[in-house]
Each structure stands twice: as structure tokens, then as C-alpha cells.
Amino acid sequence: MRRFGSALLGLTVLAAAGAASAQVASVIEARQNNFKAIAKAFKTINDELKASRPSLAVLRAAAADLTAASQRIPNGFPAGSGPESGVKTEALPAIWQNPAGFTEVANRHIAAVRALEAAAQSGDIARIRSATDAVGPTCKACHDQFRLKK
Ligand code: HEC
């Protein structure tokens, strides 16, 4: 009976671990999809700025998407969702070892995309261009420190 009880307990623990890892996998997948959305919105803006007469409607919609997705970055990295989870991820342990540094680069990026959104609202293409150019380095600053290099 005792043995049966502890075997049962073992199974329960295993089932809980399985549920936890499925949850971690979905958190990681969601943040990766969010980065795909960020990259897509940013590309839309860069591509549109190459047009002879860039569409403000396209720029404004993509800038709004970029801001919304960028604001989700800080919540996408709960404890336990790093490489130690066993799930494939390019997130480096530095994110959890240096949370203040991660928050700082994330906030700098969010400030840059907000400025871009404000520029898009203004309708001034030159201002949109320079605000767009200011965003790329904020992606790179984070990737350099916190994303696995391929
Ligand atoms: C605050 C940090 C941070 C910022 C800012 C940031 N990224 Fe990332 N990015 C990451 C991390 C960390 C990953 C790896 C996520 C993972 O694999 O779990 C990543 C992954 C990605 C991916 C791969 C997604 C996939 O799995 O297919 C792309 C594409 C990407 N980022 C583009 C961008 C672009 C473009 C910007 C700027 C417009 C940007 N990122 C800004 C940290 C950041």
C-alpha cells in the first residue's frame, strides 16, 4: 500500500511536471511569435519608406502594431522560461541574471517605438524616417546582450 501510494505520488509529480513544461513551451512560443510580429511590423515600415510616396495609413497601422507588440516584450520572460527549460529558445540566461539591464534595454526600445508612432501620427515623413532609423539600434542592443548569436 505504501509503495503503491508513493508510486501514485510519483505519477502525480510527473504529470504536474508535464503540464508545467507544456506551459513553459507555450510561453516561449508566444514570445517568439510576438518577436515575429515585431519584425514584420518593422519591415513593413522600412519597406513603405522606400516608396516614392509612402502611405501614412500603412505607416501608422504598422507603427501601432510595433508599439503594441513591443510593450509585450517585458512580460514574455517569466522565471523558468530560459534555456534550462529544455525548450528550444534563443533567450540567454543573462535575461534572468541581469533583470535590471534587460528591463533597461527593453524600455529604451519601447521609448523608440513610441517616438516612431508619434512621428507617424504627425505625418512628417522626414521625422518618421529618422524615428525609424533610431529603432534598429534598440533591437540590436538587446540582441547583442540577451539573444543567442547564430
Ligand atoms: C529587450 C530585448 C529585445 C528587443 C528590444 C528586441 N528583441 Fe528580438 N529577440 C529578443 C530575444 C531574447 C529573442 C529570443 C526569444 C526566444 O527564442 O525565446 C528575440 C528573437 C527575435 C526574433 C526571432 C523570433 C523567432 O523565434 O522566430 C526576431 C525576428 C527578432 N527578435 C526581431 C527583433 C526586431 C526586429 C526588434 C526591433 C524592432 C527586436 N527583435 C527587438 C530580444 C529582443
Side-chain angles (χ1 to χ4, degrees), residues 28 31-32 35-36 38-39 42 66 73 77 89-91 95 102 105-106 109 135 138-139 142-143 146-147:
I28 293 174
R31 80 175 169 231
Q32 290 170 339
F35 282 117
K36 284 182 190 136
I38 286 173
F42 192 46
L66 180 59
I73 294 176
F77 298 87
T89 172
E90 292 172 4
I95 293 169
F102 184 71
V105 291
H109 169 73
V135 169
T138 70
C139 311
C142 188
H143 290 173
F146 297 110
R147 182 183 175 194

